[in-house]
Amino acid sequence: MTVQAIKLPILRMPYPLRVNPYLPALREETETWAREMGMLDSDETPSAHRAIWTLSQFHAMAVDQLSAWALPDASLTDLRLNHRFNLWALAWDDYFVSAFKRTGDLAGAQAFTARLHAFLPPDPGARLPEPTNAVERGMADLQQRLYPPRLAHWRQGLNRALARYIDAGVQELANSRASRVPDLIEYAQFRRESFAAYTAPYSVELSTGARIPEQIRHSRTFCALLDAFMDYMGLANDIASYRREVHDERDVNNLVIVLQTSLGITVQEAMHAAADLVTARLRHFEHLTQSELAPVAQRAGLNHGERIELEAWLRGACSFLSGLHAWYTGAPRYAPVDGPPAADAERLGRGAVDDLLIPHGRSDSGAAPDGTSTRLVHARL
């Protein structure tokens, strides 16, 4: 079955999409930082030595919309910071693909990653190396901004999450070079690292100003909730980016390929099974927030203020998932390889929000309505 023949399922999203009111202001300065860091070319001919994106490629990613959809409650200052963080993550991804994945240069990838670790120090007073490329320059700049006093407690945790993110890129390249498709059970944990999902709680706290109460942060229920929260992000991305990764990057690190190989099923069956698994993780997140978290909070003795803060964080997490879902659905970065031409793709990146919404409460995943793919996964396992 060709890549073009694969039918992508519609993923369920019960949370309404909201848009940060500062999106227009974000658009006004969206190019500035990327140019200053050397990520963006000034013309339509990208240079491997100078920049990562052309102007049309940059706008087609619609990262400003991603930031405004995922963090609808953030102040302009916090929205701008998270937008730059998103730009850096995508810059690293696209640079790594171009410089190392397409060439199979594992040694180069390892050297690049080892050097990048020096830009993720646990000590706030550590001296950083002199940046030599756009990725290093962007992270050096972010290290001066990511940890204002109210988020200083995140320094070690966020830098550790970023280290896992860049290390996962090397492992993905090693898998692809060896044609090693990851094991299904192993892959769920690995995808949280390779998607940088461990950074998402930071973004939610940045947006809402609410911290997860320490009394429940390490409880079984809240850890399970975070796992489900992070799994939806990365696994849903695997469905949205399947065509891009298979057609362009020849990558084996994708849930659809993992399911196809592990269960011995067709690509289309694997696509439906992947959608069912993504929906199952989202339902588990819903169940934990609606049914199990309140008793945990009560047993932990959270006071009224801590409960309000927890509720604010959860609302932010739901908005984060909704924003990602909308971006996966509408961003030209994930457009089909046989989809609209570039001009139309860029227009879609700026398109109407209403066209991207799945009605509130919709329960289908785009898979077989009788649950065939779910039963197939259970039977094969």
Side-chain angles (χ1 to χ4, degrees), residues 88-89 92-93 96 100-101 109-120 135 139 159-173 190 193-196 199:
W88 179 86
W92 173 88
D93 187 21
F96 196 88
F100 307 116
K101 283 190 174 181
Q110 291 169 332
F112 170 76
T113 302
R115 179 175 162 80
L116 194 54
H117 270 275
F119 291 85
L120 303 171
V135 175
M139 182 47 62
N159 279 352
R160 185 163 55 246
L162 288 169
R164 295 167 83 171
Y165 174 53
I166 62 176
D167 286 345
V170 176
Q171 184 59 54
E172 284 185 334
L173 175 55
F190 177 68
E193 299 175 356
S194 66
F195 186 73
T199 69

Side-chain angles (χ1 to χ4, degrees), residues 221-337:
T221 298
F222 202 84
C223 287
L225 184 148
L226 282 179
D227 285 347
F229 172 61
M230 294 186 291
D231 287 344
Y232 180 89
M233 298 177 220
L235 300 181
N237 179 268
D238 278 356
I239 294 173
S241 62
Y242 174 80
R243 285 172 168 153
R244 180 176 184 265
E245 292 178 352
V246 171
H247 183 266
D248 188 27
E249 300 175 16
R250 304 297 179 184
D251 205 340
V252 300
N253 304 280
N254 184 285
L255 178 62
V256 178
I257 297 177
V258 168
L259 286 167
Q260 179 191 10
T261 304
S262 298
L263 304 181
I265 56 181
T266 67
V267 175
Q268 192 64 67
E269 287 175 328
M271 186 67 74
H272 289 319
D276 279 348
L277 289 177
V278 169
T279 297
R281 297 306 285 153
L282 181 59
R283 287 193 184 280
H284 191 51
F285 176 81
E286 291 179 279
H287 167 73
L288 292 169
T289 56
Q290 295 169 7
S291 302
E292 294 195 25
L293 200 55
V296 172
Q298 185 175 11
R299 288 194 299 270
L302 298 189
N303 61 35
H304 179 71
E306 290 166 336
R307 288 172 181 266
I308 294 298
E309 196 161 17
L310 175 60
E311 291 173 4
W313 192 94
L314 290 172
R315 283 196 301 272
C318 293
S319 294
F320 195 88
L321 293 179
S322 177
L324 277 177
H325 173 268
W327 191 61
Y328 294 160
T329 305
R333 182 178 178 86
Y334 301 112
V337 293

